[in-house]
Amino acid sequence: MTVPIAQRMNKIGTETAFAVSFEAGILARQGKKIYPFHLGDMNLITPPVVMDAAIDAMKKGKTGYCPTAGILELREALAKDVGQSHKIPLAADQISIQPGGKPTIGKFIMAAMNPGDKVLYPNPGYPIYESQIDFHGGVGVPYGYKEAEDHFILDMDVIRKGIQAGAKILIYNNYQNPTGASSPKDEIQELARLAVKNDLFVLADEAYFDIRYSGESLSIASFPGMAERTIILYTFSKKFAMTGWRLGAAIGPAPFIELISKINVNDESCSNHFIQYGALAGLQGGSEAPQRLLSILKERRDLLVDRLNAIPGIRCFRPEATFYLFPNVTGAMKRKGVAEVEGFRKLVLQETGVSFCTRRHFGRPLPGETEQYIRFAYSGIDLDQIKEGMDKLTAFLA
Ligand SMILES: Cc1ncc(COP(=O)(O)O)c(C=O)c1O
């Protein structure tokens, strides 16, 4: 029998970063020492307060279905927590609990975008935006980032052109994967001004809102006129080292959140019941656990940035948030005589075991893009291994 495959399946994308994991895994099985900088996963364990509460809930019988939008206690706690951090009034009916941060992307697209609609999205960016826009028949309008003196800035000209061309939906990921970019206040303000003026509906992917080493995180939802036109992607994955638990939320205007919950009914009925009690305990447990996680990540960031910048031909910013670095390796590639960044990645992996993703894993390069970038994630590798990996990379590229 020929298995029938719907035409729309030709349009769905994937996270090609998993292919890097696969490649590194093959080399590891052949006995090669691998330094894993490719995965945005964490080698840090979920805080005990979260684990204990989830186990307790399970033992108390919270093992059946729960309301499709999530347990009321967690929705209320999130409304309070995010309401405070974002300085916006939020109520429980503005929260729909999700099995992770990722589902909010597809559900937002499904509920907000008609086939043929233009959607602004970051590129380089998290590949699921483009995948979901294409899958649901939209027209992706990519915008990029530019290098300023010591940080990445949004390419506002491209965003303005996209709006002029008719885009009514904006996907904005501040604090950004893969660049680590943090928009300063004036940049978010300008984006918010454009959104209000041009009646844009916004998905604010805030997966890394709480992974911040200095200063204060700012949300586009907090700017005047934005709360009613913004859906926040919230996740417990990073803040509480809960990537494998799968828990997050869509947060925004109640009528739209109701639609997202209607998709929950169709997709998964509800998110895992007892895990929600774990997350609730995490939220109520104060900031000690997230602070400990942040201090570990910060040490890794500083070591890695210093070591990368000491290698000739590499230029790396020190992001204030996320656990990603996006060094410019144009010079290092020239020195090695490699023209293509994927070739560079494979060569380095083969020769040193240092495994990372490249710009290519985060979207098709934009017209006029000439510089070459790779992405390091330092959430899944300890300090001693960072040091050893950087010794090998330095020796290879020196
Ligand atoms: C920018 C961004 N958004 C969303 C997600 C999805 O998060 P989750 O693992 O909670 O589904 C990720 C995960 O890496 C991410 O980098």
Side-chain angles (χ1 to χ4, degrees), residues 40 99-103 105 126 129 173 177 205 207-208 233 235-238 243 246-247 324:
K102 193 184 258 180
I105 301 171
Y126 194 50
Y129 313 135
N173 174 211
N177 177 12
D205 181 341
Y208 301 95
L233 178 158
T235 181
F236 290 92
S237 295
K238 324 285 173 176
T243 50
R246 310 309 302 139
L247 202 68
Y324 302 114

Side-chain angles (χ1 to χ4, degrees), residues 145-210:
Y145 285 80
K146 295 191 287 197
E147 283 191 49
E149 195 189 336
D150 63 357
H151 64 285
F152 286 102
I153 52 171
L154 282 174
D155 194 338
M156 281 290 187
D157 288 343
V158 175
I159 293 177
R160 283 194 197 94
K161 277 189 196 134
I163 294 170
Q164 275 160 18
K168 284 285 178 203
I169 298 175
L170 167 71
I171 298 179
Y172 174 48
N173 174 211
N174 195 33
Y175 307 94
Q176 214 245 359
N177 177 12
T179 60
S182 293
S183 287
K185 186 174 176 189
D186 57 350
E187 198 172 76
I188 311 178
Q189 205 158 24
E190 174 58 6
L191 213 48
R193 194 190 65 76
L194 286 172
V196 171
K197 184 172 169 225
N198 297 285
D199 201 21
L200 305 188
F201 197 48
V202 178
L203 174 67
D205 181 341
E206 298 187 351
Y208 301 95
F209 191 84
D210 295 302

Side-chain angles (χ1 to χ4, degrees), residues 5-22:
I5 296 173
Q7 278 173 2
R8 75 174 77 84
M9 290 312 293
N10 296 326
K11 293 188 177 168
I12 198 161
T14 186
E15 283 193 58
T16 51
F18 285 113
V20 179
S21 273
F22 184 70

